[in-house]
Amino acid sequence: VNQDDLEYSDQVMLETLVAKIALLVERFDAIREESRVQQVFLLEKMHSLQVLAGDVANEMQLPLRQMGNFISEVHSCSRSSTNSNILRADIDKARLAVERSTQLIDIILRQVQDLDINHAGFIVCSIQNVVSKALAEYVFLENERAYVNSDLSRDFDYKGDERLLVFVIFNLLKNALSQVEYPSKFEIHISASTDKNMNWLSLRFNHLPTYVDSMRISSESHAYSEHIGKKGGDIQHSNLSLAYCHRVMTSFSGEMHCLSHGEGMTEFKLGFPVIN
């Protein structure tokens, strides 16, 4: 229609219709975007729940195996009163399994509760004291403590929360000890070092090649690639314990790196800003 042939009232009505159509299109786009965002949110929630369920199941396997072994030993010892010493030893193993399960549940709950970190409550702490406290409080199962070799002769201070870092060390120990089968001469070595810009806490351990798959380290994932890097890949955000460690270290204005030293050696490095 030629605009010259339209009456003024018709032009006003046409402009009104065009404006309404544009508004409807805009609203439709907004609804579509809102639906897309909601779908992404639901998928992320579903993925988080799947990860949580997987982590809980994996963490509960070890204590259940311990309790299963204990039940078998009790059944065998119950046939002979001469095996009372063996029975007491197995009772101690079962007690450790229960304590370890309780501690793992506490660790998982800290990771999923997503509580705010109170930066105002940060104080200056000694890395030597924190690591010693973590090693004293972590519930090691039979013979596990013997694998840990700690060399903290080079002490340093950091500003943060002592308890949060204790749980970070708990998580790193848990990841190092969560191997289905240990390699020969298995060792977890904890050490501290300093340079001009950062202080470093290192936890290094050897493992079989299959351990990388159990850690959910993938070359296709780029989660936390600026802070958690691995030669050949990055740690996926689906590993809740490492995501928690990253969150805590970020709150300390620090860094976290996962380094691969060949197929059979992995090192977690926590970087803390130097305090003047």
Side-chain angles (χ1 to χ4, degrees):
V1 178
N2 192 325
Q3 190 172 2
D4 296 336
D5 298 334
L6 294 175
E7 297 291 339
Y8 176 77
S9 58
D10 296 332
Q11 293 183 22
V12 173
M13 183 176 64
L14 182 60
E15 291 174 357
T16 303
L17 288 174
V18 170
K20 289 183 177 181
I21 292 174
L23 182 61
L24 287 174
V25 171
E26 183 178 348
R27 287 182 177 177
F28 176 77
D29 289 340
I31 293 172
R32 184 173 59 181
E33 177 63 18
E34 182 180 354
S35 176
R36 185 193 67 81
V37 171
Q38 187 175 15
Q39 183 180 14
V40 170
F41 174 77
L42 291 175
L43 288 174
E44 289 178 350
K45 284 292 185 183
M46 184 182 300
H47 177 69
S48 297
L49 290 174
Q50 289 173 339
V51 170
L52 174 60
D55 274 7
V56 171
N58 289 331
E59 299 298 356
M60 291 301 102
Q61 283 179 344
L62 179 58
L64 286 175
R65 285 199 298 267
Q66 293 283 332
M67 294 300 293
N69 293 336
F70 168 68
I71 292 171
S72 299
E73 292 292 338
V74 170
H75 179 71
S76 300
C77 292
S78 63
R79 301 178 179 179
S80 173
S81 59
T82 60
N83 293 323
S84 58
N85 291 334
I86 298 176
L87 182 60
R88 279 195 292 270
D90 286 323
I91 289 174
D92 290 338
K93 293 178 184 178
R95 178 182 54 79
L96 278 178
V98 172
E99 291 179 1
R100 177 70 161 266
S101 301
T102 303
Q103 189 177 66
L104 290 175
I105 291 172
D106 190 18
I107 292 172
I108 294 173
L109 287 176
R110 275 178 172 261
Q111 291 157 195
V112 300
Q113 284 173 348
D114 198 28
L115 300 177
D116 293 335
I117 296 177
N118 180 20
H119 295 75
F122 285 176
I123 59 174
V124 176
C125 307
S126 163
I127 196 67
Q128 191 177 73
N129 292 341
V130 174
V131 173
S132 298
K133 180 173 290 189
L135 293 178
E137 294 182 5
Y138 189 78
V139 179
F140 292 99
L141 298 182
E142 187 180 19
N143 299 325
E144 284 184 343
R145 182 63 179 86
Y147 295 134
V148 182
N149 175 22
S150 178
D151 177 15
L152 294 174
S153 56
R154 188 183 294 272
D155 191 16
F156 63 80
D157 292 335
Y158 75 94
K159 188 173 183 180
D161 185 285
E162 182 182 82
R163 202 67 202 158
L164 288 177
L165 187 57
V166 164
F167 270 82
V168 167
I169 297 172
F170 280 2
N171 277 299
L172 298 184
L173 288 171
K174 177 172 67 70
N175 276 283
L177 292 167
S178 63
Q179 304 178 50
V180 176
E181 182 181 359
Y182 293 133
S184 59
K185 298 181 180 180
F186 174 60
E187 182 185 38
I188 301 173
H189 184 68
I190 302 176
S191 61
S193 61
T194 61
D195 58 36
K196 292 182 180 179
N197 300 318
M198 298 289 287
N199 294 316
W200 297 94
L201 179 67
S202 168
L203 188 147
R204 182 170 175 167
F205 58 97
N206 55 325
H207 53 77
L208 300 176
T210 53
Y211 170 77
V212 175
D213 296 331
S214 68
M215 281 275 291
R216 294 194 286 275
I217 299 177
S218 169
S219 59
E220 298 177 356
S221 174
H222 299 285
Y224 312 138
S225 59
E226 294 181 2
H227 298 276
I228 304 181
K230 177 183 180 298
K231 187 177 180 181
D234 300 312
I235 297 174
Q236 295 186 16
H237 64 283
S238 60
N239 190 314
L240 288 180
S241 62
L242 297 183
Y244 173 83
C245 296
H246 170 266
R247 178 167 170 260
V248 171
M249 291 306 300
T250 300
S251 73
F252 294 166
S253 300
E255 301 176 7
M256 178 174 176
H257 302 278
C258 179
L259 308 175
S260 174
H261 302 278
E263 292 187 355
M265 184 70 70
T266 292
E267 180 181 17
F268 291 111
K269 293 192 68 175
L270 307 179
F272 302 84
V274 174
I275 300 176
N276 295 326

